Amino acid sequence: EGGATRDALNEKPPKDFAVASAAQTSKNTLGRGAVIHTTMGDMTVRLYPDECPKTVENFCTHAGNDYYNGIIFHRVIKNFMLQTGDPLGDGTGGTSIWGREFEDEFHRSLRHDRPFTLSMANAGPATNGSQFFITTVPTPWLDNKHTVFGRVVKGMDVVQMIENTKCGKDDKPFDDISIVNIRVLMEAPSAKE
């Protein structure tokens, strides 16, 4: 009798079971929207956790940890986009919640086909960190290069005000415009709210 016992506490679940459980838990805690409070006003965004769960998890976790609080819009290009999410404020910084760059999550239904698209800034394939941008026009040349993970549904006027701010040669606004904080919403927002 002195052999090892097999009991359920020592039995590891099959890999596919563990992955499915983790994915289900993660999806249940991901936000479906967010309010980005800026020094120029509020923007409400709808997020797409089903299509790009890692990107939305990264964004929502950073928002919940106040990572984005006080970060400036360091790059604003009229008729293109507004970029933020870099704690250094110059486009060279920022990290993901995992402490390393993470892969892109492209989805055929999420394209840069309209203004007010929320997308990850990167330095090439699989180099996502914390920086993101909001387009102000359709930018189809960015498809399959940057992960689209949301859309502005309210506060387009705020996006346009930021877009129209005066900038220097480096596309940095002369007067700092920053994120005050980001509040994650568990329900998908609509433009009517």
Side-chain angles (χ1 to χ4, degrees):
E1 308 249 18
T5 61
R6 285 182 62 103
D7 86 48
L9 297 175
N10 296 329
E11 192 73 39
K12 290 184 180 175
K15 275 188 180 179
D16 56 346
F17 177 81
V19 170
S21 295
Q24 191 60 41
T25 302
S26 181
K27 278 186 186 175
N28 290 341
T29 58
L30 295 180
R32 297 203 163 270
V35 180
I36 303 171
H37 300 283
T38 77
T39 52
M40 290 191 84
D42 296 348
M43 297 175 262
T44 302
V45 296
R46 180 172 183 189
L47 302 174
Y48 298 101
D50 297 330
E51 294 83 355
C52 28
K54 282 193 85 157
T55 307
V56 172
E57 180 182 6
N58 184 64
F59 178 81
C60 291
T61 302
H62 271 329
N65 292 336
D66 299 335
Y67 182 90
Y68 292 122
N69 294 9
I71 291 181
I72 64 169
F73 286 84
H74 65 271
R75 190 169 175 231
V76 175
I77 302 175
K78 191 163 179 56
N79 297 315
F80 183 30
M81 60 93 211
L82 341 165
Q83 188 170 332
T84 185
D86 174 13
L88 300 179
D90 63 7
T92 64
T95 187
S96 76
I97 59 171
W98 301 283
R100 58 173 171 70
E101 297 172 334
F102 67 98
E103 67 274 9
D104 301 305
E105 294 179 297
F106 304 132
H107 196 275
R108 67 183 170 274
S109 70
L110 296 175
R111 316 302 283 167
H112 295 87
D113 59 354
R114 63 194 87 167
F116 311 114
T117 295
L118 181 65
S119 190
M120 287 300 287
N122 63 38
T127 59
N128 296 295
S130 63
Q131 293 186 47
F132 61 91
F133 61 93
I134 299 168
T135 64
T136 60
V137 296
T139 55
W141 63 91
L142 300 179
D143 288 344
N144 300 317
K145 294 180 183 169
H146 297 270
T147 300
V148 173
F149 68 101
R151 304 241 191 241
V152 178
V153 296
K154 190 176 173 190
M156 286 86 152
D157 58 328
V158 175
V159 173
Q160 291 168 329
M161 282 191 302
I162 295 171
E163 176 189 24
N164 289 315
T165 194
K166 296 229 182 281
C167 295
K169 289 182 183 175
D170 59 357
D171 301 316
K172 186 175 182 179
F174 287 122
D175 297 317
D176 284 351
I177 301 162
S178 59
I179 295 172
V180 176
N181 63 39
I182 299 175
R183 182 170 52 93
V184 175
L185 307 172
M186 298 319 281
E187 299 287 325
S190 73
K192 296 173 183 156
E193 291 179 9

